[in-house]
Amino acid sequence: MNTADLGLPVEVPSTALFTDQYELTMLQAALKAGTAERRSVFEVFTRRLPEGRRYGVVAGTGRVLDAVENFRFDSDVLRFLRERAIVDDDTLDRLARYRFSGDIWGYPEGEVYFPGSPLLRVEGTFAECVLLETVILSILNHDSAIAAAASRMSSAAGDRPLIEMGARRTHELAAVAASRAAYIGGFATTSDLAAGFRYGIPTVGTSAHAFTLLHDSERDAFRAQVDSLGRGTTLLVDTYDVTEAVRLAVEVAGPELGAVRIDSGDLLLVAHRVRRQLDELGATGTRIIVTSDLDEYAIASLAAAPVDAYGVGTQLVTGSGHPTASMVYKLVARAESDDPASPLVPVAKKSSGGKTSVGGRKWAARRLDAQGVAEAEVVGTGAMPPELADRPLLVPLVKGGSVVARESLDVVRDRHRAARAGLPLSATQLSRGEPVIPTEYVHDRSGS
């Protein structure tokens, strides 16, 4: 459940200054040139996936919708812009009235994507669309990178649950967004209470080493925790000697002890030893949770270990080595004049150096093989071929400035699970490789 949808008292600030200055100066110049009202189409896409990634994950769409709704230039913001002489008075007057009134289409959140996929299509006047570039990219690049890492980790974990616990390893607000993206990618819970409050993600947590060190003995610490939280709690057993701690944990809590957590050492070896010891002590139902700077490769290496859950922090919130999805926001079509009936003209950057783009307002569909497995991402302009008409990927998100596609995180999470399951099996391999399916372009022969 997304608690933001329920109207809980969560204050969302204006997002108007989550932008780069050149977006405002472009607006000023376009107003003077008489081109600001030209109907325009911007698209978000990435030219390549991060090295080693076989697919991307769309995450952050719900936050983008919130950001667009709250893109307002209030009196304090306008005063700042006026005092710094960032734009002229005519532009300030225009900004004071800013409300996005266009349309946004996009891949539904949780869907997978590939190089060239038109993940988001923003349509309206140049004046209203150009200002949204930075805030849209900052959200999608961050959240999609985290969700992709989370997806790889959850695939490596199989049926074992994952706990997101990276709040202390990133910016306090980024931590909340990371928890949301991790949940989309397959994590079960978070330690971050702000994420639980804002998005309804299940929260967990018991104690750290400091709690053990606070007490005169490990036994005293375990007794205090069990007395407070019950026998089903999770006891941290690697502050001193793991073997002795496990013995004490079962002695204090009994065989009903919920779990033990291991946060250091050779996790594969220690997990086997702890499992054997727990079973010998009669605590056959006590689970083993491991933490300690895990990533998808470490999780995969523990597949044969008697581990019941994983806690992941640093590697998750930094995208497991790829903290951005490298998405861009490009103008791909614009009208010949400010007449609303003026036809759209495809435009594209043609410079060398690998930064070219494909012009035209695009659609996207995923072609499936005879077994229903994805075999190609098909992107085109003009009319979509009839054989792909039942597999469109873009859905309406905003119509006439109004959000039309808010969803709960559980729906998004389920969508991602289904989308990943629809890819070839090699999508979940951790070895380096190319995108698991190719991107094919279909050009509109009419040139429109």
Side-chain angles (χ1 to χ4, degrees), residues 13-214:
S14 166
T15 53
L17 290 185
F18 293 165
T19 190
D20 290 303
Q21 179 168 316
Y22 77 171
E23 285 155 9
L24 273 62
T25 54
M26 280 193 287
L27 172 61
Q28 175 177 303
L31 288 170
K32 288 184 177 299
T35 53
E37 301 305 321
R38 287 187 175 184
R39 191 160 54 102
S40 300
V41 180
F42 286 82
E43 289 177 352
V44 175
F45 62 94
T46 184
R47 296 182 176 95
R48 64 190 64 84
L49 297 179
E51 184 180 359
R53 296 289 195 259
R54 313 302 298 276
Y55 61 91
V57 181
V58 179
T61 308
R63 297 206 309 120
V64 166
L65 299 180
D66 290 340
V68 171
E69 280 192 329
N70 289 280
F71 204 91
R72 303 283 187 270
F73 292 84
D74 58 27
S75 58
D76 289 337
V77 170
L78 292 169
R79 184 181 307 112
F80 164 78
L81 297 175
R82 181 177 292 106
E83 290 173 351
R84 298 291 182 93
I86 290 173
V87 290
D88 61 21
D89 287 342
D90 289 342
T91 306
L92 289 172
D93 290 343
R94 177 59 177 270
L95 294 177
R97 303 190 306 273
Y98 182 90
R99 299 291 185 274
F100 181 75
S101 62
D103 299 336
I104 300 177
W105 290 69
Y107 279 40
E109 193 166 17
E111 183 59 87
V112 297
Y113 70 86
F114 300 92
S117 297
L119 304 178
L120 205 70
R121 192 174 71 218
V122 182
E123 305 182 21
T125 66
F126 180 84
E128 60 185 342
C129 295
V130 71
L131 298 183
L132 299 177
E133 175 181 4
T134 301
V135 69
I136 286 176
L137 288 179
S138 65
I139 292 172
L140 292 182
N141 269 315
H142 173 270
D143 290 22
S144 296
I146 305 303
S151 179
R152 285 162 59 86
M153 291 173 186
S154 66
S155 177
D159 294 332
R160 298 172 179 177
L162 291 158
I163 306 164
E164 186 281 311
M165 47 196 302
R168 64 191 61 195
R169 300 296 187 228
T170 188
H171 185 280
E172 66 272 18
L173 298 182
V176 181
S179 293
R180 182 183 184 278
Y183 190 70
I184 291 170
F187 275 59
T189 54
T190 180
S191 66
D192 192 328
L193 290 178
F197 175 70
R198 180 72 176 88
Y199 296 115
I201 301 169
T203 58
V204 294
T206 51
S207 68
H209 292 102
F211 186 78
T212 301
L213 296 170
L214 168 69

